[in-house]
Amino acid sequence: LFYRLAAFVATQKGIPTVTFMEGRLRDRDEATMGKQSLAGDYVTKLFVWSEASKQSYIRAGIPESKLEVVGIVHLSNWIRDNSPETRAAIRHSLGIKNDWPIVTFAFPILNRYEGDASKAIETFIGWGSYKKVNLLIKFHPFESAQNVNSVRNGIEKNGIENVLVIQEGESAPILMTSNLVISQHSTAGSESIAFGVPFAEIDLDNVGVLESLAEEGVAFSIGKGEIGKLDDILSGKLRLDEAVVEKWRIENLGQLDGNSVNRVVEAIE
């Protein structure tokens, strides 16, 4: 919604305006905030991830002529450069000096977390502290410094060396380099699946996950008392149906070929 004032002024002056699909689309966001329908106001072109995304916007009343399917633009460079050398460089930049798996807990902003976020953080840090894993707690960019520092200080106070708290910087390279990503109703889930990284939804309080990816068969579900599932996922003992995941990936994430930016440029020109 931040672009609307600039887009309105540009439209009044006859200046073409383009915008991009922000992240995973949810029916609730359209029902409560009109998020999809508002995205087409004062816009010449709206670039979306996939055909399924396009249909969501059409159902919300956006004219098809405004919509262009290009893939996930913000992942384009990382998809193209998803090499062992790049992933090794990212591990090094994070200060990781071992070859243990990376498990990333990518939080939505805490006031949108379904359940007790503090308990979830405690549970995962407790699990990761005694494992040969690198546990990354990735906070939302808009999370309060107080919440982030509280967790960071607790880890430092207890001398836990294999848990890292991160807020700044892009999520994409971290997700791409992870062996497992954990979150809830977050775009991190879609991004992880785009990279072919296993994704797990957490619901330690059994309150339910909004528009669950686990229910669609493309994510693992970690409920109350199921923290041990993480070991089975990492070992490969617990697996998803890859055919189901691939079908969902194609329908919902579009072309994952690293050429999204080129398609945007062609459409604009």
Side-chain angles (χ1 to χ4, degrees):
L1 302 180
F2 300 112
Y3 76 93
R4 286 172 63 79
L5 181 58
F8 172 76
V9 173
T11 301
Q12 295 297 301
K13 293 182 174 295
I15 301 170
T17 308
V18 302
T19 191
F20 297 84
M21 178 175 157
E22 169 189 12
R24 184 180 167 202
L25 301 179
R26 295 181 302 195
D27 293 336
R28 190 193 71 169
D29 293 338
E30 172 59 19
T32 59
M33 297 184 288
K35 202 167 183 181
Q36 279 91 277
S37 51
L38 287 171
D41 291 349
Y42 321 124
V43 167
T44 310
K45 275 292 179 190
L46 170 57
F47 294 111
V48 302
W49 292 359
S50 66
E51 189 59 38
S53 309
K54 178 179 175 181
Q55 293 306 317
S56 267
Y57 282 110
I58 289 173
R59 288 195 297 274
I62 306 298
E64 186 173 2
S65 59
K66 287 188 173 186
L67 300 167
E68 191 85 29
V69 177
V70 295
I72 308 179
V73 178
H74 69 277
L75 298 187
S76 190
N77 290 339
W78 294 112
I79 289 170
R80 193 166 53 250
D81 194 24
N82 187 358
S83 66
E85 294 77 16
T86 298
R87 292 196 296 274
I90 293 166
R91 290 178 72 98
H92 180 74
S93 72
L94 292 169
I96 295 173
K97 298 176 182 177
N98 56 53
D99 59 358
W100 299 347
I102 294 176
V103 177
T104 298
F105 196 168
F107 264 100
I109 197 160
L110 294 189
N111 62 16
R112 297 293 300 275
Y113 181 83
E114 300 289 348
D116 187 334
S118 296
K119 185 176 81 173
I121 293 171
E122 254 181 61
T123 301
F124 278 95
I125 291 176
W127 170 84
S129 302
Y130 301 98
K131 305 286 182 180
K132 288 187 175 182
V133 299
N134 300 288
L135 182 59
L136 274 53
I137 309 293
K138 178 68 172 76
F139 280 101
H140 191 280
F142 295 159
E143 190 55 64
S144 73
Q146 181 180 355
N147 288 337
V148 176
N149 290 333
S150 173
V151 174
R152 184 176 280 133
N153 293 338
I155 290 168
E156 291 175 357
K157 181 180 177 181
N158 289 292
I160 304 171
E161 296 183 355
N162 65 323
V163 180
L164 182 64
V165 175
I166 303 172
Q167 184 178 29
E168 302 78 13
E170 280 189 83
S171 295
I174 294 171
L175 301 179
M176 181 179 80
T177 311
S178 298
N179 299 88
L180 171 63
V181 174
I182 304 157
S183 189
Q184 245 184 21
H185 46 81
S186 167
T187 297
S190 300
E191 293 169 331
S192 303
I193 295 168
F195 287 126
V197 174
F199 176 65
E201 284 180 340
I202 61 165
D203 184 16
L204 301 183
D205 301 282
N206 287 348
V207 296
V209 175
L210 177 67
E211 298 182 30
S212 166
L213 290 176
E215 290 178 2
E216 297 187 50
V218 298
F220 299 97
S221 176
I222 309 294
K224 187 175 183 179
E226 294 183 328
I227 195 74
K229 277 187 177 181
L230 299 180
D231 298 285
D232 293 337
I233 297 168
L234 287 171
S235 69
K237 181 179 177 181
L238 197 59
R239 296 176 179 271
L240 297 171
D241 186 329
E242 188 52 43
V244 172
V245 176
E246 183 59 22
K247 183 173 184 290
W248 187 92
R249 186 187 285 124
I250 291 168
E251 290 176 355
N252 293 276
L253 306 182
Q255 296 184 67
L256 299 171
D257 56 4
N259 291 318
S260 295
V261 172
N262 293 337
R263 285 189 283 273
V264 170
V265 172
E266 288 172 8
I268 291 174
E269 289 180 342

